[in-house]
């Protein structure tokens, strides 16, 4: 099987076309292949071969992608690490993954005692040696992507080349990507969203990718004007940062064919406000690392249903199960499960966790939702985030949606706080749009109007910002800690 996201498998006619660029470099497809071969030769010279694991701990830059490709060129596996990790955090992933070597920023970066190569010392064309011949197979382990660890120690999600090819193909199909498309990458490359949607899908389509090291509203808009991308993917936090810009800030975003929002729940109001403000089509999708990134998404051309995360991507099947594990009918609320060639092989060295998550041959997501008559999925909440108040099951997302309905609310998050009588009660944190000043009483009144009494938050905290994890998701474990102390 040929994996079209590997640049050395691209047709010769692509050789001179733009492929990858960042603030330091710009390479054609042919130049990327030469640089990958040089790095692969360097890795082979350090003892890396088929079945080995190469760790890469770098901020967003082209070299990170070159290392991934070089590992795959040798039949090895890549595991990307958050470059902000402490030595303790990095050491856990390096040891757990079984990495033999790490590519990092330099001598001060954590290595976990492993041999390392500094990014500035990566080999360049002209220094390569003969490469072992290896054609990746579908069953070959391509990526070890570690979960955020919000429910315990991070777990290494095993993704094969078959998983990656299936996901990239689904995205090319769903978004209609062609060689004319140009993605602006703003999400961190130590997570699968950026690797699959921004990088691999672009490569499979024969398009081009521009890598931004980090997101900032003004530099991002400047990059859109300068590079003229056709699409990008981001998390709700990024769209919130864009939506809160003063009206006087304007940018030419006419090159953008669409943008994707995923990785965390987003309010309908924020989607609509961003789309109206900047003029590009914004679609919401849904997926997990365990599903190689995305499983549903609203269409760019077709019926979009705000408030839903869209229908299943081509080749995937979405169902909703009841407590007995049996499929539920249209409109019924239950746990969302996913089937398809994108579902992970399992968690590295975690057979019990793997068996529980892949029970019945389907990916148990831990998310609660329902599917309408057109196959569009609406998420209700995470099972683990559900609040049980006096025996009543409350879903924070429903309360958050009411708070988001206030025109001055930019972000809202609700968690359960311990209560001596009811067990748990909802507590809310709210961030207002700049220049507005809603009061807690304004928000309590909205809750009283739109929610039954049992769902009313017992406290609403107005804050400047919500705590976020490295992917940009609201850090609800941290909020639960704050709720205990408040």
């Amino acid at each position: 099987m040929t994996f079209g996201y590997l640049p050395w498998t691209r047709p010769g006619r692509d050789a001179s076309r733009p492929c990858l660029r960042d603030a330091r470099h710009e390479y054609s497809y042919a130049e990327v292949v030469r640089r990958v071969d040089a790095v692969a030769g360097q890795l082979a010279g350090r003892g890396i071969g088929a079945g080995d694991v190469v760790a890469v701990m770098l901020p967003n830059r082209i070299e990170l992608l070159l290392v991934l490709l070089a590992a795959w060129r040798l039949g090895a596996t890549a595991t990307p690490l958050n470059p902000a990790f402490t030595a303790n955090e990095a050491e856990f992933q390096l040891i757990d993954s079984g990495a033999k070597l790490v590519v990092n920023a330099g001598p001060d970066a954590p290595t976990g005692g492993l041999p390392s190569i500094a990014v500035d010392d990566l080999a360049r064309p002209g220094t390569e040696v003969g490469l072992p011949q290896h054609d990746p197979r579908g069953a070959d382990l391509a990526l070890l992507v570690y979960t955020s660890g919000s429910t315990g120690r991070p777990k290494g999600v095993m993704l094969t080349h078959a998983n990656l090819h299936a996901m990239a193909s689904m995205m090319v199909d769903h978004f209609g990507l062609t060689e004319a498309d140009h993605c602006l990458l703003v999400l961190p490359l130590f997570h699968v969203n950026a690797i699959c949607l921004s990088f691999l899908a672009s490569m499979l389509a024969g398009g081009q990718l521009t890598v931004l090291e980090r997101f900032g509203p003004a530099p991002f808009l400047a990059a859109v004007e300068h590079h003229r991308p056709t699409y990008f993917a981001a998390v709700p936090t990024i769209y919130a940062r864009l939506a809160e810009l003063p009206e006087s800030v304007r940018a030419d975003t006419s090159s953008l064919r669409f943008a994707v929002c995923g990785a965390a729940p987003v309010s309908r109001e924020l989607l609509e406000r961003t789309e109206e403000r900047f003029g590009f089509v914004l679609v919401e999708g849904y997926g997990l690392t365990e599903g190689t990134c995305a499983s549903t998404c609203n269409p760019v051309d077709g019926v979009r249903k705000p408030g839903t995360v869209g229908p299943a991507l081509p080749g995937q099947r979405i169902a909703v199960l009841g407590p007995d594990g049996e499929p539920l009918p249209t409109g019924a609320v239950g746990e969302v499960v996913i089937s398809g060639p994108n579902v992970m092989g399992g968690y590295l060295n975690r057979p019990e966790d793997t068996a529980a998550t892949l029970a019945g041959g389907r990916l148990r997501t831990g998310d609660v939702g329902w599917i309408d008559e057109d196959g569009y999925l609406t998420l209700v909440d995470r099972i683990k985030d559900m609040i049980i108040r006096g025996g009543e099951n409350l879903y924070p997302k429903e309360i958050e949606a009411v708070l988001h309905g206030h025109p001055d609310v930019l972000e809202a998050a609700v968690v359960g706080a311990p209560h001596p009588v009811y067990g748990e009660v909802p507590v809310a944190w709210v961030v207002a749009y700049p220049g507005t000043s809603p009061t807690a009483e304004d928000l309590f009144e909205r809750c009283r109007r739109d929610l039954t009494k049992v769902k009313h938050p017992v406290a609403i905290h107005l804050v400047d910002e919500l705590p976020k994890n490295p992917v940009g998701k609201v850090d609800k474990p941290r909020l639960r800690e704050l709720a205990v102390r408040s």
Side-chain angles (χ1 to χ4, degrees):
M1 182 178 183
T2 300
F3 301 102
Y5 52 78
L6 302 174
W8 55 88
T9 68
R10 300 297 307 172
R13 61 180 171 79
D14 286 342
S16 62
R17 298 184 63 249
C19 182
L20 300 177
R21 75 172 56 79
D22 62 13
R24 303 171 184 83
H25 309 289
E26 182 169 351
Y27 300 142
S28 67
Y29 274 84
E31 289 169 329
V32 167
V33 172
R34 288 195 293 271
R35 290 188 173 273
V36 167
D37 283 353
V39 175
Q42 183 180 24
L43 296 180
R46 300 290 290 270
I48 299 299
D52 291 328
V53 177
V54 176
V56 56
M57 186 175 180
L58 294 172
N60 279 15
R61 53 189 295 173
I62 284 178
E63 289 88 348
L64 191 158
L65 301 175
L66 297 180
V67 173
L68 262 59
L69 292 169
W72 297 340
R73 188 82 169 84
L74 299 171
T77 302
T79 186
L81 283 78
N82 183 344
F85 270 174
T86 64
N88 178 63
E89 292 166 321
E91 183 173 320
F92 172 80
Q93 184 171 336
L94 292 169
I95 293 174
D96 190 74
S97 67
K100 289 185 63 175
L101 179 145
V102 57
V103 177
N104 57 29
D108 295 330
T111 65
L114 296 177
S116 64
I117 300 173
V119 64
D120 291 336
D121 295 331
L122 286 172
R124 296 180 176 275
T127 60
E128 61 268 28
V129 296
L131 291 175
Q133 292 298 312
H134 183 89
D135 294 318
R137 297 167 297 176
D140 287 352
L141 186 59
L143 283 175
L144 277 172
V145 181
Y146 276 71
T147 60
S148 62
S150 59
T151 57
R153 276 293 202 180
K155 297 188 285 288
V157 176
M158 298 188 292
L159 301 177
T160 65
H161 279 288
N163 293 146
L164 298 186
H165 187 265
M167 178 53 57
S169 300
M170 292 170 187
M171 289 173 168
V172 169
D173 187 359
H174 182 76
F175 295 117
L177 300 180
T178 71
E179 63 182 22
D181 278 300
H182 176 186
C183 179
L184 185 63
L185 188 155
V186 297
L187 294 176
L189 275 165
F190 56 87
H191 277 283
V192 76
N193 189 314
I195 293 173
C196 286
L197 178 51
S198 298
F199 176 45
L200 297 182
S202 293
M203 296 300 95
L204 183 60
Q208 57 181 303
L209 176 69
T210 294
V211 178
L212 298 184
E213 183 171 342
R214 62 179 63 85
F215 173 79
F220 170 77
L221 292 176
V224 170
E225 288 193 322
H226 178 71
H227 295 294
R228 310 295 293 163
T230 61
Y231 80 97
F232 72 95
V235 295
T237 301
I238 286 177
Y239 293 109
R241 296 280 306 278
L242 292 172
E244 69 184 5
L245 288 170
E247 286 296 324
S248 59
V249 176
R250 291 291 168 182
D252 181 1
T253 58
S254 60
S255 67
L256 288 167
R257 188 161 66 85
F258 67 95
V260 184
C261 184
V266 62
S267 70
R268 176 174 181 164
E269 290 77 13
L270 179 57
L271 290 173
E272 292 173 344
R273 184 165 180 151
T274 304
E275 193 169 272
E276 179 182 355
R277 170 76 184 275
F278 294 100
F280 49 73
V281 172
L282 180 54
V283 295
E284 185 182 4
Y286 159 75
L288 292 80
T289 302
E290 291 87 344
T292 321
C293 183
S295 289
T296 71
C297 190
N298 276 279
V300 174
D301 301 306
V303 177
R304 283 186 288 150
K305 295 187 179 183
T308 79
V309 291
L313 291 178
Q316 296 192 51
R317 297 175 301 283
I318 306 293
V320 171
L321 304 184
D324 59 358
E326 293 299 313
L328 294 174
T330 297
V333 175
E335 184 183 5
V336 178
V337 295
I338 298 167
S339 304
N342 55 296
V343 173
M344 68 171 181
Y347 296 115
L348 181 68
N349 300 325
R350 304 281 189 101
E352 293 181 0
D353 289 333
T354 297
T357 302
L358 300 181
R362 294 175 289 201
L363 174 59
R364 303 290 296 260
T365 68
D367 290 309
V368 178
W370 57 278
I371 301 171
D372 71 13
E373 64 280 0
D374 298 317
Y376 285 61
L377 173 65
T378 296
L379 295 175
V380 176
D381 223 316
R382 292 285 295 165
I383 291 175
K384 66 182 178 62
D385 288 339
M386 185 175 68
I387 301 167
I388 303 177
R389 177 175 180 166
E392 292 281 345
N393 293 345
L394 311 182
Y395 292 105
K397 190 177 178 184
E398 181 183 7
I399 305 169
E400 292 163 359
V402 169
L403 293 168
H404 278 126
H406 191 288
D408 295 342
V409 171
L410 176 62
E411 294 182 284
V414 174
V415 299
H419 191 275
V421 176
Y422 298 114
E424 289 182 296
V425 290
V427 175
W429 277 263
V430 171
V431 178
Y433 278 102
T436 66
S437 53
T439 66
E441 182 52 37
D442 293 336
L443 302 174
F444 278 124
E445 179 56 35
R446 194 170 194 91
C447 291
R448 286 191 288 266
R449 188 190 73 185
D450 294 341
L451 295 168
T452 56
K453 186 175 182 180
V454 70
K455 299 174 184 176
H456 295 172
V458 300
I460 297 177
H461 303 286
L462 290 160
V463 294
D464 293 333
E465 61 181 3
L466 299 176
K468 305 285 175 60
N469 68 17
V471 196
K473 296 181 182 181
V474 174
D475 188 347
K476 289 204 167 181
R478 173 61 178 155
L479 289 180
R480 280 190 278 269
E481 291 175 6
L482 295 175
V484 170
R485 299 203 296 263
S486 63

